[in-house]
Amino acid sequence: MSPLWLLTLLLALSQALPFEQKGFWDFTLDDGLLMMHDEEASGSDTTSGVPDLDSLTPTFSAMCPFGCHCHLRVVQCSDLGLKTVPKEISPDTTLLDLQNNDISELRKDDFKGLQHLYALVLVNNKISKIHEKAFSPLRKLQKLYISKNHLVEIPPNLPSSLVELRIHDNRIRKVPKGVFSGLRNMNCIEMGGNPLENSGFEPGAFDGLKLNYLRISEAKLTGIPKDLPETLNELHLDHNKIQAIELEDLLRYSKLYRLGLGHNQIRMIENGSLSFLPTLRELHLDNNKLSRVPAGLPDLKLLQVVYLHSNNITKVGINDFCPMGFGVKRAYYNGISLFNNPVPYWEVQPATFRCVTDRLAIQFGNYKK
């Protein structure tokens, strides 16, 4: 086997994700996996140099569960029809891949001795029960992927070292207060594809978290949830049932640079709502029911990409996207999509897109009744 095998495995694992999120799957350059001598590695930063593969020589190379593939501290046990977590896993394992099996329960001692485990992949099993101390031995775990299972609640007592949690496509209906208590290092949660309603988030459910990324797509939300972390840079709420954006819905999210609200039922965005997002760079409002371009776009000086296709927009004004005057907007648009709207495009004045980098960045046409 060669280092290429490790990279191929990790690229294959990324196909289980419902969308592309750059950076999170780049284990081959991650401090936590390659620099295990650094006891304080948080996982939020990555190295830029070439890893020293000689330092990855396994200490317990003779230990490998039957049927699994073990190499460079990676134990790959996917697609084996396993009913339980296998035994005799090397204590120096940093990545354990158990996806696509038939595991239904995580027991108290399933991960005993795996104090160096950095990433645990349990995607596409049948897990419905997790012992409250199942994750206790995993003191260095930073990435937990437990999507596509049968969970009805957030797992209890998650490791305090956790940086990334992907728990989409389960059966979770409630996020109680305190469930993320003590997770000071967490910066990414993917929890879409669960039957979550706005009432399912208890007040204070996200208290203490300093998230960078949150995705609650493909759920049953009718509005933007309250009290999400103020630290968010990315918020994805696409494929829900959100009908309107009211004035104070975005008040606390001034650090957002990407907001995903596509595939909802949004008819109205209250004037002034977007003014709370001074650092916004991408706004996704495609596949909604908007009848006009949202007010306030010219005031977003860093906005570069706006998706408005597949709405009910009938008119585009000369000042809908660009500020009046010169030298006001700091970043020019490099993408505006308006196709599949009932706009008489021949009536749109060329000056409407005076702050767009290139005419090819504007997408018109293809409207069908």
Side-chain angles (χ1 to χ4, degrees):
M1 293 187 182
S2 68
L4 180 61
W5 177 86
L6 174 61
L7 179 59
T8 303
L9 168 64
L10 296 171
L11 289 175
L13 290 178
S14 67
Q15 301 303 312
L17 300 178
F19 64 96
E20 179 183 359
Q21 177 61 29
K22 295 180 181 179
F24 290 119
W25 275 99
D26 192 6
F27 291 116
T28 58
L29 295 179
D30 203 303
D31 287 341
L33 179 59
L34 297 178
M35 308 295 288
M36 293 306 298
H37 63 275
D38 184 1
E39 295 294 332
E40 302 300 325
S42 68
S44 58
D45 296 314
T46 56
T47 60
S48 57
V50 178
D52 181 9
L53 296 175
D54 292 335
S55 67
L56 297 178
T57 304
T59 307
F60 302 89
S61 57
M63 296 181 64
C64 188
F66 179 78
C68 301
H69 299 280
C70 304
H71 185 63
L72 299 178
R73 300 183 186 177
V74 174
V75 178
Q76 199 267 337
C77 301
S78 63
D79 302 276
L80 295 177
L82 298 176
K83 304 289 186 182
T84 60
V85 175
K87 302 297 182 183
E88 297 185 356
I89 299 174
S90 173
D92 70 344
T93 298
T94 53
L95 170 60
L96 176 58
D97 175 20
L98 294 167
Q99 68 176 315
N100 302 330
N101 281 293
D102 295 321
I103 299 170
S104 60
E105 179 182 357
L106 299 181
R107 299 168 298 188
K108 179 181 179 180
D109 295 326
D110 277 348
F111 305 111
K112 186 178 181 180
L114 300 183
Q115 66 269 19
H116 295 293
L117 197 64
Y118 168 80
L120 176 59
V121 183
L122 292 160
V123 176
N124 197 26
N125 275 275
K126 299 177 180 178
I127 300 170
S128 61
K129 185 178 180 181
I130 299 178
H131 192 278
E132 62 179 9
K133 295 185 178 181
F135 298 125
S136 295
L138 307 181
R139 299 175 183 176
K140 294 185 179 180
L141 190 71
Q142 294 187 21
K143 299 176 186 286
L144 175 59
Y145 301 150
I146 196 167
S147 305
K148 297 184 180 180
N149 278 283
H150 300 165
L151 295 175
V152 296
E153 62 179 4
I154 307 291
N157 301 321
L158 292 169
S160 60
S161 56
L162 205 61
V163 171
E164 179 181 352
L165 173 65
R166 295 187 181 265
I167 196 168
H168 59 272
D169 291 322
N170 276 279
R171 302 172 182 177
I172 298 168
R173 295 179 178 274
K174 183 179 180 181
V175 182
K177 181 178 181 179
V179 70
F180 298 121
S181 178
L183 301 180
R184 295 183 298 273
N185 297 315
M186 183 84 80
N187 66 27
C188 171
I189 296 181
E190 152 64 280
M191 58 193 311
N194 285 288
L196 281 164
E197 300 179 1
N198 287 74
S199 60
F201 296 93
E202 290 188 358
F206 294 93
D207 281 358
L209 288 182
K210 297 181 179 180
L211 294 182
N212 166 270
Y213 181 100
L214 177 61
R215 185 174 186 262
I216 316 175
S217 300
E218 301 169 77
K220 296 182 177 181
L221 302 180
T222 56
I224 295 179
K226 308 296 183 183
D227 300 326
L228 299 179
E230 297 181 359
T231 54
L232 284 173
N233 295 137
E234 294 194 40
L235 176 59
H236 297 268
L237 301 173
D238 47 288
H239 290 275
N240 276 287
K241 299 178 180 180
I242 300 172
Q243 299 180 20
I245 307 299
E246 298 180 353
L247 185 60
E248 296 185 358
D249 282 349
L250 301 171
L251 175 63
R252 59 189 282 120
Y253 310 124
S254 61
K255 294 181 174 63
L256 281 181
Y257 62 73
R258 182 175 291 122
L259 175 59
L261 291 166
H263 293 271
N264 276 281
Q265 301 171 16
I266 300 173
R267 297 177 180 272
M268 184 273 294
I269 298 179
E270 191 171 352
N271 288 352
S273 299
L274 300 179
S275 65
F276 300 114
L277 308 176
T279 63
L280 196 67
R281 290 163 172 77
E282 286 190 26
L283 177 59
H284 297 232
L285 284 165
D286 55 287
N287 292 276
N288 277 286
K289 298 182 179 181
L290 295 172
S291 58
R292 64 185 182 93
V293 176
L297 296 185
D299 299 324
L300 299 177
K301 298 180 179 181
L302 299 179
L303 188 63
Q304 299 174 53
V305 176
V306 183
Y307 289 179
L308 289 168
H309 56 271
S310 300
N311 276 281
N312 299 324
I313 298 172
T314 58
K315 183 180 179 180
V316 178
I318 193 170
N319 295 316
D320 279 352
F321 294 98
C322 304
M324 292 183 286
F326 297 93
V328 179
K329 189 168 176 58
R330 284 186 284 169
Y332 277 46
Y333 291 101
N334 55 46
I336 295 177
S337 68
L338 281 162
F339 64 88
N340 200 23
N341 278 289
V343 178
Y345 299 106
W346 55 90
E347 295 182 2
V348 180
Q349 300 184 42
T352 301
F353 304 109
R354 57 191 177 275
C355 59
V356 179
T357 55
D358 188 274
R359 62 184 179 86
L360 296 178
I362 307 165
Q363 299 181 15
F364 270 163
N366 300 321
Y367 176 69
K368 298 179 181 180
K369 293 183 179 181

